[in-house]
Amino acid sequence: MTRRILFVAVAALAAGCSSDTTGTTVGGGTDSADTTEGGTTEGGTDSDVVASDDATAPDEDVHEGPECPPQTGERPGAISEHRGVFDPVKERLIFATGNPEFPIECIGKNSYLADTWAYWPRCGVWEKLPEGPAPRGRTATVYADDLHAMVMVGGRFREKGADPFTTPYTLNNETWLLELTTDTWTQLATSGEAPSPRVNSAAVYDSAAKRMLLFGGNSSTSGASYIPLQDT
């Protein structure tokens, strides 16, 4: 009986202590148990304040990313028929070549470019990179992760001002590599059977085999017709 009375008394004392540490005084202020050197909590404990202080400490694992290029104000104009990839190392988008002209009454006008641009989304900055291949459009591009490079194949070109009804496009099957560490273009020499000249092909990069896979496309030299390809 004595033990039962003692247990009840201890429980009541503990409940009273708990009430003191989480409650407020009649006057509306907090008691001294709620206040620490780090500030006053609303019914918290010293450990709560320490956790709050830790949460505001600088996070050493925050990813800052590569250094942004200088802001020059340069940016590409409206363009179509360009292709590009995402560079995960420098965290930027790469675009190359293309056609800045707008079709008139469904007739394409040609003024192909050899421009190469990088856009840094984290920085909000456009950067013009060195030119590489001759002007063209509708190429196929992939990102080669083992090379940290963009590989470009194919494309088409027609001189600005040429009559679209009498002047065919010139198609090519050239292979170019843009090395993204130094932003340097190189035309690659290939061996074996190469794909025929084409545009609008689908392409992916096989990282395991370290190769670019190219499928299909259009072999027509006229903007008014389509000759599909189904080879890989």
Side-chain angles (χ1 to χ4, degrees):
M1 186 67 169
T2 303
R3 289 182 180 180
R4 183 179 182 85
I5 294 173
L6 180 59
F7 175 80
V8 172
V10 171
L13 180 59
C17 292
S18 176
S19 175
D20 289 343
T21 58
T22 59
T24 58
T25 63
V26 175
T30 58
D31 57 31
S32 59
D34 292 330
T35 304
T36 69
E37 293 181 2
T40 302
T41 67
E42 295 180 3
T45 63
D46 289 356
S47 61
D48 291 331
V49 176
V50 171
S52 176
D53 290 344
D54 289 346
T56 59
D59 187 352
E60 295 181 357
D61 295 330
V62 172
H63 174 66
E64 296 183 355
E67 183 178 355
C68 295
Q71 177 66 268
T72 64
E74 282 191 292
R75 59 174 300 153
I79 195 169
S80 65
E81 300 189 39
H82 55 295
R83 296 294 185 269
V85 299
F86 180 70
D87 174 1
V89 177
K90 294 185 178 180
E91 300 179 8
R92 57 183 182 164
L93 297 166
I94 306 294
F95 303 96
T97 67
N99 183 358
E101 301 288 350
F102 291 91
I104 298 177
E105 297 180 354
C106 296
I107 299 175
K109 297 182 65 177
N110 306 109
S111 180
Y112 287 101
L113 302 175
D115 291 355
T116 305
W117 289 89
Y119 179 67
W120 302 66
R122 183 177 55 83
C123 310
V125 174
W126 282 99
E127 180 186 20
K128 191 169 186 180
L129 304 182
E131 293 183 2
R136 64 195 63 197
R138 303 197 182 192
T139 63
T141 57
V142 296
Y143 174 71
D145 52 356
D146 57 312
L147 301 174
H148 186 217
M150 179 176 78
V151 182
M152 172 185 288
V153 175
R156 72 180 187 179
F157 173 78
R158 185 162 60 194
E159 290 286 350
K160 182 176 181 179
D163 186 338
F165 295 102
T166 61
T167 307
Y169 285 101
T170 299
L171 307 186
N172 75 74
N173 62 349
E174 295 174 354
T175 303
W176 286 79
L177 182 141
L178 174 60
E179 203 285 317
L180 295 173
T181 300
T182 59
D183 296 332
T184 303
W185 281 103
T186 304
Q187 184 174 359
L188 300 180
T190 59
S191 60
E193 183 180 1
S196 60
R198 64 189 63 200
V199 295
N200 295 348
S201 298
V204 296
Y205 191 71
D206 179 355
S207 298
K210 299 181 180 179
R211 60 180 181 172
M212 176 182 185
L213 299 177
L214 190 74
F215 172 75
N218 178 14
S219 62
S220 173
T221 58
S222 169
S225 65
Y226 188 83
I227 304 176
L229 297 169
Q230 297 181 337
D231 54 342
T232 303

